[in-house]
């Protein structure tokens, strides 16, 4: 009941009238494959299933980076600035905070919105989840014995909640910090694809509006920066442009946000105490897919973006849309990751012999981007636009836009190579198989579980007929993988490519010194090295850490 009241009250506070949504973009030309050479560039793409000859047009030659020593002026901009960061204990925001402190030790303060019952527990969360994290080891070496003093002087925990009006911040504290903040960085979000609809709406859809309302009261505000997702448009093929979600252009009038809030609130009352969580999750997926989005996460993130566009008035806004964020490529050290993310559960299950493949297309685009490149692009965009103009700029920080994007089959071949050389368990690993149907994948997992449970096979290698039922535990494992396959199906067959014209233009404006310090050029990624020597070792370390906690 409390959630019902909060959702409806907030919808009035942020003036959601007539904000409506649509999932597909208008037809636009492909800007990132601009010119054709006399002969097309081809390469052989090896997957676990076959070789395919793939032809790409050559990308336009790009100008050299700016010869002006100052470039975008990143270092100059960062100096002395004070920030408000939401979602600061999450993966991306934590890496962003580390880079800000390491690249510019003379920045002002970073106010961190932390959900906590009192100041003591907020301070403890700050210490346990940020200050003591191994992510900050370079800073520990830089500052030595004064490390904790330095961190506590820069990182100021503010008790609050993005899901509450005025961020749940007391009026006295809000008045005090609003006079100091230069940049508001919106990193908070609920990232579960099949989240409860009511909670996802409250944080992903309404949260950015609450934060923007707070930002408007910041007297020194230079920029509002929002972290979204490249999949926010719901588009699954063609070219995804770096364009704001705008009512009447790429947002339809068929979907009314206030109606969705009311629907979720009524569902909370209706389902209370009778399978509430499951039914609210199902409702979110149903509403998302009804309007053309893949899942509750991307659907509610789209609502959040549109709220920003509707409410911002003359506030300068940058929206960063990263694709699948994975472990760091270089900074602060290679392979740092927090949590088991996106493709990672399948890789770990494959290495442990729990699955031998997945439902998907080997030729689908697997748009992975290392977290440190997302952070560097975010900081560069912040410096470029943090000059109090009234623009709204979108940056796709992605990897599929260049001539040779990573394919799912290539990724799994590299995973197979690594897991054969450095196995997770004593098994003879088979090459990854892509199943064209969910039934085929389900049958494959069933057979593996049955063999592991019974430990018997007939001479032909098939599970014996008497062993065609699974234990309760086995059924739960099967249900988990089938659910995972359904959840990731839109991405396992993903054929769209993300235009990154704005992102590439930003690189061209940077000086050589800035590129050295804040590199986010995806063309520099050696995918084989990154996957085999950086990401997968980092993933295994994180998996062991999670099991030990």
């Amino acid at each position: 009941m409390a959630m019902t009241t909060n959702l409806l009250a907030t919808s009035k506070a942020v003036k959601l009238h007539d904000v409506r949504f649509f999932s597909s973009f208008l037809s636009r030309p492909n800007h990132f494959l601009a010119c054709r050479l006399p002969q097309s560039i081809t390469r052989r793409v090896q997957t676990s299933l076959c070789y395919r000859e793939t032809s790409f047009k050559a990308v336009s030659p790009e100008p050299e980076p700016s010869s002006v020593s100052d470039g975008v002026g990143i270092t100059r901009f960062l100096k002395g600035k004070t920030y408000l960061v939401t979602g600061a204990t999450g993966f991306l925001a934590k890496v962003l905070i580390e880079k800000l402190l390491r690249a510019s030790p003379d920045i002002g303060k970073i106010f961190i919105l932390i959900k906590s019952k009192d100041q003591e527990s907020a301070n403890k969360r700050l210490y346990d989840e940020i200050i003591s994290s191994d992510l900050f080891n370079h800073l520990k070496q830089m500052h030595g014995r004064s490390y904790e003093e330095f961190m506590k002087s820069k990182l100021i925990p503010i008790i609050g909640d993005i899901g509450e009006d005025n961020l749940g911040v007391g009026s006295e504290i809000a008045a005090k910090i609003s006079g100091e903040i230069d940049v508001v960085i919106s990193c908070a979000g609920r990232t579960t694809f099949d989240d409860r609809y009511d909670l996802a709406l409250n944080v992903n859809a309404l949260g950015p509006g609450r934060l923007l309302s707070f930002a408007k009261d910041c007297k020194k505000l230079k920029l509002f920066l929002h972290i979204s997702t490249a999949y926010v448009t719901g588009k699954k093929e063609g070219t995804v442009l770096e364009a704001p979600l705008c009512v009447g252009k790429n947002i339809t009038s068929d979907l009314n946000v206030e109606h969705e809030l009311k629907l979720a609130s009524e569902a909370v009352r209706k389902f209370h105490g009778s399978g509430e969580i499951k039914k609210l999750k199902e409702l979110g997926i149903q509403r998302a897919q009804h309007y053309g989005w893949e899942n509750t996460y991307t659907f509610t993130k789209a609502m959040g973006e549109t709220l920003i566009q509707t409410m911002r008035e003359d506030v300068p806004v940058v929206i960063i849309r990263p694709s699948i964020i994975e472990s760091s490529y270089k900074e602060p050290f290679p392979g740092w990751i927090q949590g088991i993310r996106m493709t990672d559960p399948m890789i770990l299950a494959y290495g442990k012999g729990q699955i031998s493949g997945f439902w998907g297309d080997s030729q689908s685009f697997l748009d992975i981007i290392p977290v440190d490149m997302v952070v560097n692009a975010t900081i560069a965009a912040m410096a470029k636009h943090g000059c109090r103009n009234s623009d709204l700029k979108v940056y796709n920080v992605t990897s599929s836009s260049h001539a040779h994007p990573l394919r799912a089959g290539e990724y799994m071949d590299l995973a197979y190579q690594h897991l054969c050389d450095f196995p997770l368990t004593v098994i003879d690993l088979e090459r990854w198989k892509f199943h064209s149907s969910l039934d085929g994948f389900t049958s494959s997992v069933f057979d593996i579980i049955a063999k592991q449970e019974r430990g018997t096979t007939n001479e032909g290698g098939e599970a014996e007929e008497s062993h065609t039922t699974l234990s309760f535990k086995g059924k739960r494992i099967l249900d988990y993988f089938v659910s995972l396959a359904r959840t990731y199906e839109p991405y396992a067959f993903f054929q769209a490519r993300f235009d990154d014209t704005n992102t590439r233009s930003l690189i061209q404006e940077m000086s050589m010194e800035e590129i050295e310090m804040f590199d986010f050029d995806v063309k520099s990624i050696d995918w084989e090295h990154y996957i085999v020597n950086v990401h997968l070792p980092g993933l295994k370390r994180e998996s062991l850490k999670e099991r030990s906690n």
Side-chain angles (χ1 to χ4, degrees), residues 12 16 27 57 88 105 129-130 146 175 179 184 191 206-207 295 300 317 360 370 380 440 461-462 483 510 533:
K12 295 177 182 177
L16 293 177
S27 177
K57 298 177 184 178
E129 299 184 43
I130 296 180
S146 63
V184 172
T191 58
L206 302 183
N295 50 56
T300 53
V317 171
E462 298 293 329
S483 175
M510 296 167 65
N533 301 320

Short mmCIF file of all heavy atoms in Angstrom, two decimals, residues 12 16 27 57 88 105 129-130 146 175 179 184 191 206-207 295 300 317 360 370 380 440 461-462 483 510 533:
data_model
loop_
_atom_site.label_atom_id
_atom_site.label_comp_id
_atom_site.label_asym_id
_atom_site.label_seq_id
_atom_site.Cartn_x
_atom_site.Cartn_y
_atom_site.Cartn_z
N LYS A 12 2.46 12.73 -9.85
CA LYS A 12 1.96 14.10 -9.91
C LYS A 12 3.09 15.10 -9.71
O LYS A 12 3.14 16.13 -10.35
CB LYS A 12 0.89 14.29 -8.83
CG LYS A 12 -0.35 13.42 -9.05
CD LYS A 12 -1.34 13.58 -7.92
CE LYS A 12 -2.55 12.68 -8.12
NZ LYS A 12 -3.50 12.77 -7.00
N LEU A 16 3.75 14.04 -15.11
CA LEU A 16 3.88 13.04 -16.16
C LEU A 16 2.78 13.13 -17.21
O LEU A 16 2.70 12.27 -18.07
CB LEU A 16 3.86 11.64 -15.54
CG LEU A 16 5.06 11.30 -14.68
CD1 LEU A 16 4.88 9.93 -14.07
CD2 LEU A 16 6.32 11.34 -15.50
N SER A 27 12.96 5.64 -39.78
CA SER A 27 14.01 5.20 -40.69
C SER A 27 15.03 6.31 -40.90
O SER A 27 14.68 7.43 -41.22
CB SER A 27 13.39 4.81 -42.04
OG SER A 27 14.37 4.44 -42.95
N LYS A 57 31.50 -2.92 -45.55
CA LYS A 57 32.01 -1.71 -46.18
C LYS A 57 33.07 -1.11 -45.27
O LYS A 57 33.00 -1.23 -44.06
CB LYS A 57 30.88 -0.70 -46.37
CG LYS A 57 29.76 -1.18 -47.30
CD LYS A 57 28.68 -0.14 -47.36
CE LYS A 57 27.50 -0.62 -48.19
NZ LYS A 57 26.42 0.37 -48.23
N ALA A 88 26.26 4.78 -6.29
CA ALA A 88 27.72 4.83 -6.18
C ALA A 88 28.35 3.52 -5.76
O ALA A 88 29.55 3.32 -5.97
CB ALA A 88 28.13 5.93 -5.20
N PRO A 105 43.12 14.34 -8.33
CA PRO A 105 43.06 14.33 -6.86
C PRO A 105 42.60 15.66 -6.27
O PRO A 105 42.17 15.70 -5.11
CB PRO A 105 44.51 14.03 -6.45
CG PRO A 105 45.14 13.40 -7.65
CD PRO A 105 44.47 14.03 -8.83
N GLU A 129 32.06 -0.85 1.21
CA GLU A 129 31.77 -1.10 -0.21
C GLU A 129 32.62 -0.27 -1.16
O GLU A 129 32.71 -0.59 -2.35
CB GLU A 129 30.29 -0.86 -0.48
CG GLU A 129 29.38 -1.79 0.33
CD GLU A 129 27.91 -1.62 -0.01
OE1 GLU A 129 27.59 -1.50 -1.21
OE2 GLU A 129 27.09 -1.59 0.92
N ILE A 130 33.24 0.79 -0.67
CA ILE A 130 34.04 1.64 -1.55
C ILE A 130 35.47 1.77 -1.05
O ILE A 130 36.42 1.33 -1.70
CB ILE A 130 33.39 3.03 -1.73
CG1 ILE A 130 32.03 2.88 -2.43
CG2 ILE A 130 34.30 3.95 -2.53
CD1 ILE A 130 31.29 4.18 -2.66
N SER A 146 47.96 8.10 4.26
CA SER A 146 46.91 9.13 4.28
C SER A 146 45.73 8.76 3.38
O SER A 146 44.84 9.58 3.14
CB SER A 146 47.48 10.48 3.83
OG SER A 146 47.94 10.41 2.49
N ALA A 175 19.62 21.74 1.27
CA ALA A 175 19.94 23.15 1.05
C ALA A 175 21.44 23.38 1.08
O ALA A 175 21.99 24.18 0.30
CB ALA A 175 19.25 24.01 2.10
N GLY A 179 24.15 24.00 -2.80
CA GLY A 179 24.97 25.18 -3.08
C GLY A 179 26.38 24.84 -3.50
O GLY A 179 27.14 25.74 -3.90
N VAL A 184 25.62 16.58 -11.47
CA VAL A 184 24.82 15.48 -10.92
C VAL A 184 24.96 14.29 -11.86
O VAL A 184 24.72 14.41 -13.06
CB VAL A 184 23.34 15.89 -10.77
CG1 VAL A 184 22.49 14.69 -10.38
CG2 VAL A 184 23.19 17.00 -9.74
N THR A 191 18.62 -3.18 -12.35
CA THR A 191 19.09 -3.74 -13.62
C THR A 191 18.61 -5.15 -13.91
O THR A 191 18.98 -5.73 -14.92
CB THR A 191 20.63 -3.72 -13.65
OG1 THR A 191 21.14 -4.48 -12.54
CG2 THR A 191 21.16 -2.30 -13.56
N LEU A 206 10.83 6.80 -12.63
CA LEU A 206 10.59 8.03 -11.87
C LEU A 206 11.85 8.59 -11.21
O LEU A 206 11.94 9.79 -10.96
CB LEU A 206 9.53 7.79 -10.80
CG LEU A 206 8.17 7.30 -11.30
CD1 LEU A 206 7.20 7.18 -10.13
CD2 LEU A 206 7.62 8.22 -12.37
N GLY A 207 12.82 7.71 -10.93
CA GLY A 207 14.03 8.15 -10.24
C GLY A 207 14.77 9.28 -10.94
O GLY A 207 15.15 10.27 -10.30
N ASN A 295 12.30 -6.19 -22.23
CA ASN A 295 12.11 -6.56 -20.84
C ASN A 295 11.76 -5.34 -20.00
O ASN A 295 11.76 -4.20 -20.49
CB ASN A 295 13.38 -7.24 -20.30
CG ASN A 295 14.63 -6.43 -20.60
OD1 ASN A 295 14.72 -5.26 -20.23
ND2 ASN A 295 15.60 -7.04 -21.27
N THR A 300 11.46 0.43 -18.63
CA THR A 300 11.39 1.48 -17.61
C THR A 300 12.54 2.47 -17.75
O THR A 300 12.39 3.65 -17.41
CB THR A 300 11.38 0.87 -16.20
OG1 THR A 300 12.50 -0.04 -16.04
CG2 THR A 300 10.09 0.10 -15.95
N VAL A 317 22.09 18.47 -20.41
CA VAL A 317 21.99 17.04 -20.10
C VAL A 317 22.85 16.24 -21.06
O VAL A 317 22.87 16.50 -22.27
CB VAL A 317 20.52 16.56 -20.20
CG1 VAL A 317 20.44 15.03 -20.10
CG2 VAL A 317 19.66 17.21 -19.12
N GLY A 360 20.51 -19.41 -29.36
CA GLY A 360 20.97 -18.16 -29.95
C GLY A 360 21.56 -18.36 -31.33
O GLY A 360 21.60 -19.47 -31.86
N PRO A 370 34.19 -2.65 -22.31
CA PRO A 370 34.85 -2.67 -20.99
C PRO A 370 34.43 -1.47 -20.15
O PRO A 370 34.25 -0.36 -20.66
CB PRO A 370 36.34 -2.62 -21.34
CG PRO A 370 36.44 -3.13 -22.74
CD PRO A 370 35.18 -2.66 -23.41
N ALA A 380 34.91 12.36 -20.42
CA ALA A 380 35.17 13.25 -21.56
C ALA A 380 33.91 14.02 -21.96
O ALA A 380 33.96 15.23 -22.22
CB ALA A 380 35.69 12.43 -22.74
N GLY A 440 15.25 -27.32 -28.36
CA GLY A 440 16.54 -28.00 -28.53
C GLY A 440 17.48 -27.72 -27.38
O GLY A 440 18.17 -28.62 -26.89
N GLY A 461 25.41 -43.67 -25.54
CA GLY A 461 25.68 -42.37 -24.94
C GLY A 461 24.43 -41.60 -24.59
O GLY A 461 24.51 -40.50 -24.06
N GLU A 462 23.24 -42.15 -24.84
CA GLU A 462 22.01 -41.45 -24.51
C GLU A 462 21.57 -41.82 -23.10
O GLU A 462 21.87 -42.90 -22.59
CB GLU A 462 20.89 -41.84 -25.49
CG GLU A 462 21.20 -41.47 -26.94
CD GLU A 462 21.22 -39.97 -27.13
OE1 GLU A 462 20.47 -39.29 -26.41
OE2 GLU A 462 21.98 -39.49 -27.99
N SER A 483 14.73 -20.35 -18.05
CA SER A 483 14.36 -18.96 -17.76
C SER A 483 15.45 -18.00 -18.25
O SER A 483 15.15 -16.94 -18.81
CB SER A 483 14.14 -18.79 -16.25
OG SER A 483 13.91 -17.43 -15.93
N MET A 510 39.59 15.32 -28.63
CA MET A 510 40.51 15.17 -27.51
C MET A 510 41.96 15.31 -27.96
O MET A 510 42.31 14.98 -29.09
CB MET A 510 40.30 13.80 -26.85
CG MET A 510 38.93 13.63 -26.21
SD MET A 510 38.54 11.92 -25.76
CE MET A 510 39.77 11.61 -24.49
N ASN A 533 42.65 -13.34 -21.95
CA ASN A 533 43.66 -13.02 -20.93
C ASN A 533 43.20 -12.02 -19.87
O ASN A 533 43.87 -11.86 -18.85
CB ASN A 533 44.92 -12.46 -21.60
CG ASN A 533 45.52 -13.43 -22.59
OD1 ASN A 533 45.56 -14.63 -22.34
ND2 ASN A 533 45.98 -12.92 -23.72
#
